[in-house]
PDB file of all heavy atoms in Angstrom:
ATOM      1  N   ASN A1391      -7.499 -23.384  -4.964  1.00  0.00           N
ATOM      2  CA  ASN A1391      -7.048 -24.044  -3.741  1.00  0.00           C
ATOM      3  C   ASN A1391      -5.538 -23.906  -3.540  1.00  0.00           C
ATOM      4  O   ASN A1391      -4.808 -24.891  -3.446  1.00  0.00           O
ATOM      5  CB  ASN A1391      -7.449 -25.523  -3.783  1.00  0.00           C
ATOM      6  CG  ASN A1391      -7.223 -26.223  -2.448  1.00  0.00           C
ATOM      7  OD1 ASN A1391      -7.028 -25.579  -1.422  1.00  0.00           O
ATOM      8  ND2 ASN A1391      -7.255 -27.541  -2.468  1.00  0.00           N
ATOM      9  N   LEU A1392      -5.062 -22.671  -3.495  1.00  0.00           N
ATOM     10  CA  LEU A1392      -3.657 -22.414  -3.190  1.00  0.00           C
ATOM     11  C   LEU A1392      -3.417 -22.768  -1.723  1.00  0.00           C
ATOM     12  O   LEU A1392      -4.169 -22.323  -0.847  1.00  0.00           O
ATOM     13  CB  LEU A1392      -3.328 -20.945  -3.441  1.00  0.00           C
ATOM     14  CG  LEU A1392      -1.846 -20.572  -3.469  1.00  0.00           C
ATOM     15  CD1 LEU A1392      -1.163 -21.174  -4.700  1.00  0.00           C
ATOM     16  CD2 LEU A1392      -1.683 -19.037  -3.484  1.00  0.00           C
ATOM     17  N   THR A1393      -2.385 -23.557  -1.460  1.00  0.00           N
ATOM     18  CA  THR A1393      -2.169 -24.082  -0.111  1.00  0.00           C
ATOM     19  C   THR A1393      -0.717 -23.901   0.313  1.00  0.00           C
ATOM     20  O   THR A1393       0.205 -24.229  -0.435  1.00  0.00           O
ATOM     21  CB  THR A1393      -2.524 -25.584  -0.059  1.00  0.00           C
ATOM     22  OG1 THR A1393      -3.896 -25.758  -0.449  1.00  0.00           O
ATOM     23  CG2 THR A1393      -2.327 -26.138   1.347  1.00  0.00           C
ATOM     24  N   GLY A1394      -0.526 -23.389   1.509  1.00  0.00           N
ATOM     25  CA  GLY A1394       0.817 -23.266   2.053  1.00  0.00           C
ATOM     26  C   GLY A1394       1.345 -24.625   2.481  1.00  0.00           C
ATOM     27  O   GLY A1394       0.651 -25.365   3.173  1.00  0.00           O
ATOM     28  N   VAL A1395       2.580 -24.951   2.073  1.00  0.00           N
ATOM     29  CA  VAL A1395       3.157 -26.253   2.420  1.00  0.00           C
ATOM     30  C   VAL A1395       4.428 -26.128   3.244  1.00  0.00           C
ATOM     31  O   VAL A1395       4.917 -27.112   3.788  1.00  0.00           O
ATOM     32  CB  VAL A1395       3.419 -27.106   1.156  1.00  0.00           C
ATOM     33  CG1 VAL A1395       2.106 -27.462   0.463  1.00  0.00           C
ATOM     34  CG2 VAL A1395       4.355 -26.400   0.182  1.00  0.00           C
ATOM     35  N   ALA A1396       4.974 -24.911   3.363  1.00  0.00           N
ATOM     36  CA  ALA A1396       6.152 -24.689   4.224  1.00  0.00           C
ATOM     37  C   ALA A1396       6.319 -23.192   4.445  1.00  0.00           C
ATOM     38  O   ALA A1396       6.176 -22.397   3.512  1.00  0.00           O
ATOM     39  CB  ALA A1396       7.424 -25.269   3.602  1.00  0.00           C
ATOM     40  N   ALA A1397       6.611 -22.822   5.684  1.00  0.00           N
ATOM     41  CA  ALA A1397       6.887 -21.426   6.020  1.00  0.00           C
ATOM     42  C   ALA A1397       8.401 -21.224   5.991  1.00  0.00           C
ATOM     43  O   ALA A1397       9.115 -21.807   6.815  1.00  0.00           O
ATOM     44  CB  ALA A1397       6.325 -21.092   7.398  1.00  0.00           C
ATOM     45  N   ILE A1398       8.889 -20.441   5.047  1.00  0.00           N
ATOM     46  CA  ILE A1398      10.335 -20.277   4.894  1.00  0.00           C
ATOM     47  C   ILE A1398      10.945 -19.551   6.094  1.00  0.00           C
ATOM     48  O   ILE A1398      12.010 -19.933   6.586  1.00  0.00           O
ATOM     49  CB  ILE A1398      10.658 -19.508   3.600  1.00  0.00           C
ATOM     50  CG1 ILE A1398      10.062 -20.236   2.382  1.00  0.00           C
ATOM     51  CG2 ILE A1398      12.171 -19.350   3.444  1.00  0.00           C
ATOM     52  CD1 ILE A1398      10.527 -21.662   2.211  1.00  0.00           C
ATOM     53  N   LEU A1399      10.275 -18.501   6.562  1.00  0.00           N
ATOM     54  CA  LEU A1399      10.758 -17.737   7.707  1.00  0.00           C
ATOM     55  C   LEU A1399       9.823 -17.924   8.896  1.00  0.00           C
ATOM     56  O   LEU A1399       8.622 -17.703   8.782  1.00  0.00           O
ATOM     57  CB  LEU A1399      10.844 -16.249   7.368  1.00  0.00           C
ATOM     58  CG  LEU A1399      11.809 -15.839   6.253  1.00  0.00           C
ATOM     59  CD1 LEU A1399      11.686 -14.346   5.965  1.00  0.00           C
ATOM     60  CD2 LEU A1399      13.242 -16.187   6.620  1.00  0.00           C
ATOM     61  N   LYS A1400      10.367 -18.308  10.020  1.00  0.00           N
ATOM     62  CA  LYS A1400       9.561 -18.485  11.227  1.00  0.00           C
ATOM     63  C   LYS A1400       9.148 -17.146  11.821  1.00  0.00           C
ATOM     64  O   LYS A1400       8.105 -17.026  12.440  1.00  0.00           O
ATOM     65  CB  LYS A1400      10.358 -19.267  12.287  1.00  0.00           C
ATOM     66  CG  LYS A1400      10.529 -20.733  11.969  1.00  0.00           C
ATOM     67  CD  LYS A1400       9.224 -21.473  12.149  1.00  0.00           C
ATOM     68  CE  LYS A1400       9.451 -22.972  11.979  1.00  0.00           C
ATOM     69  NZ  LYS A1400       8.210 -23.724  12.209  1.00  0.00           N
ATOM     70  N   LYS A1401      10.010 -16.143  11.667  1.00  0.00           N
ATOM     71  CA  LYS A1401       9.746 -14.814  12.212  1.00  0.00           C
ATOM     72  C   LYS A1401       9.798 -13.808  11.080  1.00  0.00           C
ATOM     73  O   LYS A1401      10.677 -13.873  10.223  1.00  0.00           O
ATOM     74  CB  LYS A1401      10.773 -14.462  13.291  1.00  0.00           C
ATOM     75  CG  LYS A1401      10.558 -13.103  13.948  1.00  0.00           C
ATOM     76  CD  LYS A1401      11.551 -12.886  15.075  1.00  0.00           C
ATOM     77  CE  LYS A1401      11.446 -11.475  15.658  1.00  0.00           C
ATOM     78  NZ  LYS A1401      10.099 -11.160  16.154  1.00  0.00           N
ATOM     79  N   ASP A1402       8.857 -12.878  11.074  1.00  0.00           N
ATOM     80  CA  ASP A1402       8.779 -11.880  10.014  1.00  0.00           C
ATOM     81  C   ASP A1402      10.027 -10.999  10.008  1.00  0.00           C
ATOM     82  O   ASP A1402      10.388 -10.388  11.017  1.00  0.00           O
ATOM     83  CB  ASP A1402       7.527 -11.021  10.228  1.00  0.00           C
ATOM     84  CG  ASP A1402       7.376  -9.961   9.155  1.00  0.00           C
ATOM     85  OD1 ASP A1402       7.818 -10.203   8.019  1.00  0.00           O
ATOM     86  OD2 ASP A1402       6.795  -8.903   9.462  1.00  0.00           O
ATOM     87  N   LEU A1403      10.690 -10.924   8.868  1.00  0.00           N
ATOM     88  CA  LEU A1403      11.877 -10.087   8.717  1.00  0.00           C
ATOM     89  C   LEU A1403      11.623  -8.901   7.792  1.00  0.00           C
ATOM     90  O   LEU A1403      12.560  -8.268   7.316  1.00  0.00           O
ATOM     91  CB  LEU A1403      13.045 -10.918   8.171  1.00  0.00           C
ATOM     92  CG  LEU A1403      13.607 -11.983   9.115  1.00  0.00           C
ATOM     93  CD1 LEU A1403      14.748 -12.752   8.447  1.00  0.00           C
ATOM     94  CD2 LEU A1403      14.085 -11.361  10.423  1.00  0.00           C
ATOM     95  N   SER A1404      10.354  -8.604   7.549  1.00  0.00           N
ATOM     96  CA  SER A1404      10.026  -7.486   6.679  1.00  0.00           C
ATOM     97  C   SER A1404       9.713  -6.242   7.502  1.00  0.00           C
ATOM     98  O   SER A1404       9.497  -6.314   8.717  1.00  0.00           O
ATOM     99  CB  SER A1404       8.835  -7.836   5.784  1.00  0.00           C
ATOM    100  OG  SER A1404       7.631  -7.928   6.541  1.00  0.00           O
ATOM    101  N   ALA A1405       9.696  -5.102   6.825  1.00  0.00           N
ATOM    102  CA  ALA A1405       9.388  -3.842   7.501  1.00  0.00           C
ATOM    103  C   ALA A1405       9.042  -2.786   6.459  1.00  0.00           C
ATOM    104  O   ALA A1405       9.417  -2.889   5.283  1.00  0.00           O
ATOM    105  CB  ALA A1405      10.580  -3.372   8.341  1.00  0.00           C
ATOM    106  N   ILE A1406       8.299  -1.771   6.907  1.00  0.00           N
ATOM    107  CA  ILE A1406       8.076  -0.590   6.089  1.00  0.00           C
ATOM    108  C   ILE A1406       9.268   0.324   6.337  1.00  0.00           C
ATOM    109  O   ILE A1406       9.640   0.573   7.489  1.00  0.00           O
ATOM    110  CB  ILE A1406       6.768   0.123   6.485  1.00  0.00           C
ATOM    111  CG1 ILE A1406       5.586  -0.864   6.469  1.00  0.00           C
ATOM    112  CG2 ILE A1406       6.511   1.309   5.554  1.00  0.00           C
ATOM    113  CD1 ILE A1406       5.351  -1.536   5.132  1.00  0.00           C
ATOM    114  N   VAL A1407       9.885   0.827   5.265  1.00  0.00           N
ATOM    115  CA  VAL A1407      11.105   1.614   5.432  1.00  0.00           C
ATOM    116  C   VAL A1407      11.027   2.955   4.729  1.00  0.00           C
ATOM    117  O   VAL A1407      10.312   3.121   3.734  1.00  0.00           O
ATOM    118  CB  VAL A1407      12.346   0.843   4.920  1.00  0.00           C
ATOM    119  CG1 VAL A1407      12.576  -0.410   5.719  1.00  0.00           C
ATOM    120  CG2 VAL A1407      12.221   0.548   3.437  1.00  0.00           C
ATOM    121  N   VAL A1408      11.784   3.892   5.284  1.00  0.00           N
ATOM    122  CA  VAL A1408      11.966   5.217   4.684  1.00  0.00           C
ATOM    123  C   VAL A1408      13.436   5.578   4.817  1.00  0.00           C
ATOM    124  O   VAL A1408      14.163   5.002   5.634  1.00  0.00           O
ATOM    125  CB  VAL A1408      11.101   6.283   5.400  1.00  0.00           C
ATOM    126  CG1 VAL A1408       9.625   5.935   5.305  1.00  0.00           C
ATOM    127  CG2 VAL A1408      11.509   6.441   6.864  1.00  0.00           C
ATOM    128  N   LYS A1409      13.887   6.526   4.043  1.00  0.00           N
ATOM    129  CA  LYS A1409      15.277   6.980   4.155  1.00  0.00           C
ATOM    130  C   LYS A1409      15.471   7.724   5.466  1.00  0.00           C
ATOM    131  O   LYS A1409      14.582   8.435   5.946  1.00  0.00           O
ATOM    132  CB  LYS A1409      15.633   7.859   2.963  1.00  0.00           C
ATOM    133  CG  LYS A1409      15.719   7.080   1.660  1.00  0.00           C
ATOM    134  CD  LYS A1409      15.876   7.964   0.451  1.00  0.00           C
ATOM    135  CE  LYS A1409      17.234   8.621   0.416  1.00  0.00           C
ATOM    136  NZ  LYS A1409      17.461   9.367  -0.852  1.00  0.00           N
ATOM    137  N   GLY A1410      16.643   7.544   6.040  1.00  0.00           N
ATOM    138  CA  GLY A1410      16.914   8.098   7.350  1.00  0.00           C
ATOM    139  C   GLY A1410      16.837   9.612   7.410  1.00  0.00           C
ATOM    140  O   GLY A1410      16.569  10.181   8.472  1.00  0.00           O
ATOM    141  N   ASP A1411      17.072  10.284   6.278  1.00  0.00           N
ATOM    142  CA  ASP A1411      17.043  11.742   6.268  1.00  0.00           C
ATOM    143  C   ASP A1411      15.720  12.296   5.758  1.00  0.00           C
ATOM    144  O   ASP A1411      15.619  13.477   5.385  1.00  0.00           O
ATOM    145  CB  ASP A1411      18.193  12.289   5.423  1.00  0.00           C
ATOM    146  CG  ASP A1411      18.132  11.816   3.965  1.00  0.00           C
ATOM    147  OD1 ASP A1411      17.195  11.046   3.629  1.00  0.00           O
ATOM    148  OD2 ASP A1411      19.014  12.205   3.174  1.00  0.00           O
ATOM    149  N   SER A1412      14.688  11.462   5.761  1.00  0.00           N
ATOM    150  CA  SER A1412      13.389  11.860   5.202  1.00  0.00           C
ATOM    151  C   SER A1412      12.551  12.694   6.152  1.00  0.00           C
ATOM    152  O   SER A1412      11.558  13.304   5.740  1.00  0.00           O
ATOM    153  CB  SER A1412      12.594  10.617   4.807  1.00  0.00           C
ATOM    154  OG  SER A1412      12.269   9.852   5.966  1.00  0.00           O
ATOM    155  N   GLY A1413      12.907  12.692   7.428  1.00  0.00           N
ATOM    156  CA  GLY A1413      12.090  13.384   8.415  1.00  0.00           C
ATOM    157  C   GLY A1413      10.890  12.570   8.860  1.00  0.00           C
ATOM    158  O   GLY A1413      10.062  13.049   9.648  1.00  0.00           O
ATOM    159  N   ILE A1414      10.797  11.348   8.382  1.00  0.00           N
ATOM    160  CA  ILE A1414       9.709  10.442   8.770  1.00  0.00           C
ATOM    161  C   ILE A1414      10.235   9.574   9.901  1.00  0.00           C
ATOM    162  O   ILE A1414      11.052   8.681   9.696  1.00  0.00           O
ATOM    163  CB  ILE A1414       9.263   9.574   7.571  1.00  0.00           C
ATOM    164  CG1 ILE A1414       8.774  10.463   6.434  1.00  0.00           C
ATOM    165  CG2 ILE A1414       8.173   8.589   7.996  1.00  0.00           C
ATOM    166  CD1 ILE A1414       8.531   9.730   5.127  1.00  0.00           C
ATOM    167  N   ASP A1415       9.759   9.843  11.102  1.00  0.00           N
ATOM    168  CA  ASP A1415      10.296   9.164  12.279  1.00  0.00           C
ATOM    169  C   ASP A1415       9.418   8.028  12.786  1.00  0.00           C
ATOM    170  O   ASP A1415       9.870   7.217  13.603  1.00  0.00           O
ATOM    171  CB  ASP A1415      10.499  10.176  13.417  1.00  0.00           C
ATOM    172  CG  ASP A1415      11.512  11.253  13.037  1.00  0.00           C
ATOM    173  OD1 ASP A1415      12.520  10.913  12.401  1.00  0.00           O
ATOM    174  OD2 ASP A1415      11.273  12.435  13.367  1.00  0.00           O
ATOM    175  N   SER A1416       8.185   7.954  12.332  1.00  0.00           N
ATOM    176  CA  SER A1416       7.274   6.872  12.715  1.00  0.00           C
ATOM    177  C   SER A1416       6.171   6.797  11.670  1.00  0.00           C
ATOM    178  O   SER A1416       6.028   7.725  10.845  1.00  0.00           O
ATOM    179  CB  SER A1416       6.696   7.106  14.115  1.00  0.00           C
ATOM    180  OG  SER A1416       5.761   8.157  14.099  1.00  0.00           O
ATOM    181  N   PRO A1417       5.379   5.728  11.642  1.00  0.00           N
ATOM    182  CA  PRO A1417       4.362   5.572  10.594  1.00  0.00           C
ATOM    183  C   PRO A1417       3.396   6.737  10.460  1.00  0.00           C
ATOM    184  O   PRO A1417       2.964   7.057   9.343  1.00  0.00           O
ATOM    185  CB  PRO A1417       3.642   4.290  11.023  1.00  0.00           C
ATOM    186  CG  PRO A1417       4.678   3.499  11.729  1.00  0.00           C
ATOM    187  CD  PRO A1417       5.488   4.516  12.483  1.00  0.00           C
ATOM    188  N   LYS A1418       3.039   7.408  11.565  1.00  0.00           N
ATOM    189  CA  LYS A1418       2.076   8.513  11.461  1.00  0.00           C
ATOM    190  C   LYS A1418       2.601   9.636  10.562  1.00  0.00           C
ATOM    191  O   LYS A1418       1.822  10.393   9.955  1.00  0.00           O
ATOM    192  CB  LYS A1418       1.734   9.065  12.845  1.00  0.00           C
ATOM    193  CG  LYS A1418       2.857   9.728  13.603  1.00  0.00           C
ATOM    194  CD  LYS A1418       2.354  10.279  14.928  1.00  0.00           C
ATOM    195  CE  LYS A1418       3.484  10.951  15.719  1.00  0.00           C
ATOM    196  NZ  LYS A1418       4.492   9.936  16.165  1.00  0.00           N
ATOM    197  N   ASP A1419       3.936   9.708  10.432  1.00  0.00           N
ATOM    198  CA  ASP A1419       4.530  10.740   9.581  1.00  0.00           C
ATOM    199  C   ASP A1419       4.382  10.431   8.098  1.00  0.00           C
ATOM    200  O   ASP A1419       4.759  11.261   7.243  1.00  0.00           O
ATOM    201  CB  ASP A1419       6.019  10.910   9.915  1.00  0.00           C
ATOM    202  CG  ASP A1419       6.246  11.397  11.340  1.00  0.00           C
ATOM    203  OD1 ASP A1419       5.389  12.127  11.850  1.00  0.00           O
ATOM    204  OD2 ASP A1419       7.291  11.025  11.935  1.00  0.00           O
ATOM    205  N   LEU A1420       3.829   9.258   7.786  1.00  0.00           N
ATOM    206  CA  LEU A1420       3.590   8.903   6.380  1.00  0.00           C
ATOM    207  C   LEU A1420       2.323   9.555   5.841  1.00  0.00           C
ATOM    208  O   LEU A1420       2.066   9.499   4.636  1.00  0.00           O
ATOM    209  CB  LEU A1420       3.498   7.378   6.219  1.00  0.00           C
ATOM    210  CG  LEU A1420       4.825   6.623   6.352  1.00  0.00           C
ATOM    211  CD1 LEU A1420       4.584   5.123   6.380  1.00  0.00           C
ATOM    212  CD2 LEU A1420       5.765   6.987   5.210  1.00  0.00           C
ATOM    213  N   ASP A1421       1.523  10.155   6.700  1.00  0.00           N
ATOM    214  CA  ASP A1421       0.373  10.926   6.221  1.00  0.00           C
ATOM    215  C   ASP A1421       0.851  11.970   5.211  1.00  0.00           C
ATOM    216  O   ASP A1421       1.792  12.730   5.471  1.00  0.00           O
ATOM    217  CB  ASP A1421      -0.321  11.643   7.385  1.00  0.00           C
ATOM    218  CG  ASP A1421      -1.319  10.763   8.111  1.00  0.00           C
ATOM    219  OD1 ASP A1421      -1.768   9.758   7.530  1.00  0.00           O
ATOM    220  OD2 ASP A1421      -1.667  11.075   9.266  1.00  0.00           O
ATOM    221  N   GLY A1422       0.210  11.958   4.033  1.00  0.00           N
ATOM    222  CA  GLY A1422       0.559  12.920   2.997  1.00  0.00           C
ATOM    223  C   GLY A1422       1.781  12.558   2.180  1.00  0.00           C
ATOM    224  O   GLY A1422       2.141  13.277   1.250  1.00  0.00           O
TER     225      GLY A1422
END
Side-chain angles (χ1 to χ4, degrees):
N1391 190 15
L1392 193 68
T1393 301
V1395 295
I1398 303 302
L1399 298 175
K1400 288 288 186 177
K1401 181 176 174 57
D1402 180 30
L1403 292 179
S1404 70
I1406 307 302
V1407 297
V1408 300
K1409 290 172 70 173
D1411 60 359
S1412 65
I1414 300 170
D1415 298 320
S1416 72
K1418 65 178 180 293
D1419 297 329
L1420 288 172
D1421 276 340

